[in-house]
């Protein structure tokens, strides 16, 4: 929905969306005001949504101090960060990345109040939704979490398993108005254009169609 609309503000109050947005920005520099929002268009959209929940950078640092992080990697296709959890004695690991990678590592699904079994049928349904959204040109991120032993302050890629799925977040990232003309101009010069991305293959295909590649 549009920023600032009543429906959008109401949706931000839902505990499941709130948990997913918290997980999506955990381990990033949230900043303190609109002028300090930095990063990609996706980063900025996430941070604005979190602020719509009334969560500031100060709140995140106070309630979810960061212990350890794994930055996004094109090979792994996810990023992860370990934090203190104000609602648990055990630290929480948030993982954000490609749905086709992370959904295979989920054991449960959070419905806003409790965790439910993550069956093959649920996984297939979520993968189909992610693929359908990607085919329309939408960027899709999966947000997951798990709690580690309370003594842990570090983790590695081997800990990114037995996850609880929180949500699929969809983002519209429109092409620049001159993108199609730029691709056409390169083709006229006899140059081949290559599209390199860490997004879902269907998102890449949709962008390629839109630009005339």
């Amino acid at each position: 929905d549009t920023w600032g609309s009543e429906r959008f503000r109401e949706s931000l109050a839902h505990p499941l969306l709130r948990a997913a947005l918290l997980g999506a920005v955990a381990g990033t520099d949230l900043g303190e005001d609109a002028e300090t929002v930095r990063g990609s268009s996706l980063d900025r959209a996430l941070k604005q949504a979190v602020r719509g929940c009334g969560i500031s950078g100060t709140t995140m640092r106070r309630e979810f101090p960061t212990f350890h992080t794994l930055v996004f990697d094109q090979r792994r296709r996810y990023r992860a960060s370990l934090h203190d959890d104000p609602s648990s004695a055990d630290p929480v690991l948030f993982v954000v990345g490609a749905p086709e990678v992370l959904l295979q590592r989920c054991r449960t699904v959070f419905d806003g109040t409790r965790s439910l079994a993550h069956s093959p049928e649920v996984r297939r349904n979520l993968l189909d939704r992610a693929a359908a959204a990607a085919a329309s040109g939408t960027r899709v991120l999966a947000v997951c979490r798990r709690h580690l032993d309370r003594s842990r302050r570090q983790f590695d890629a081997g800990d990114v398993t037995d996850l609880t799925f929180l949500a699929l977040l969809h983002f519209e990232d429109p092409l620049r108005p001159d993108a199609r003309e730029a691709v056409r101009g390169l083709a006229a010069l006899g140059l081949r254009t290559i599209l390199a991305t860490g997004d879902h293959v269907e998102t890449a295909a949709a962008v390629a169609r839109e630009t005339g590649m």
Side-chain angles (χ1 to χ4, degrees), residues 87-165:
S87 65
S88 172
D90 300 324
V92 60
L93 178 67
F94 289 114
V95 190
V96 184
E100 60 272 25
V101 172
L102 297 184
L103 284 169
Q104 305 300 326
R105 300 171 182 236
C106 290
R107 176 174 289 184
T108 57
V109 177
F110 182 60
D111 70 354
T113 57
R114 58 192 174 129
S115 293
L116 309 172
H118 191 224
S119 67
E121 292 76 16
V122 170
R123 181 179 296 112
R124 173 47 53 194
N125 178 268
L126 290 169
L127 286 170
D128 288 346
R129 290 187 183 192
S136 69
T138 301
R139 300 182 67 183
V140 186
L141 285 180
V143 185
C144 309
R145 73 183 179 195
R146 69 169 292 193
H147 285 86
L148 300 182
D149 183 85
R150 63 193 57 186
S151 64
R152 299 284 298 274
R153 292 297 180 268
Q154 290 191 329
F155 69 97
D156 56 34
D159 293 306
V160 183
T161 186
D162 295 333
L163 302 173
T164 294
F165 172 78

Side-chain angles (χ1 to χ4, degrees), residues 45 69 83 101:
T69 62
H83 305 264
V101 172

Side-chain angles (χ1 to χ4, degrees), residues 13-53:
H14 193 285
L16 179 53
L17 180 57
R18 183 182 177 88
L21 289 172
L22 281 171
V25 300
T28 68
D29 179 13
L30 189 56
E32 298 305 330
D33 52 51
E35 286 68 34
T36 61
V37 176
R38 300 183 181 89
S40 67
S41 58
L42 187 148
D43 290 334
R44 293 195 299 273
L46 281 171
K47 292 170 184 179
Q48 287 174 351
V50 168
R51 285 181 177 147
C53 292

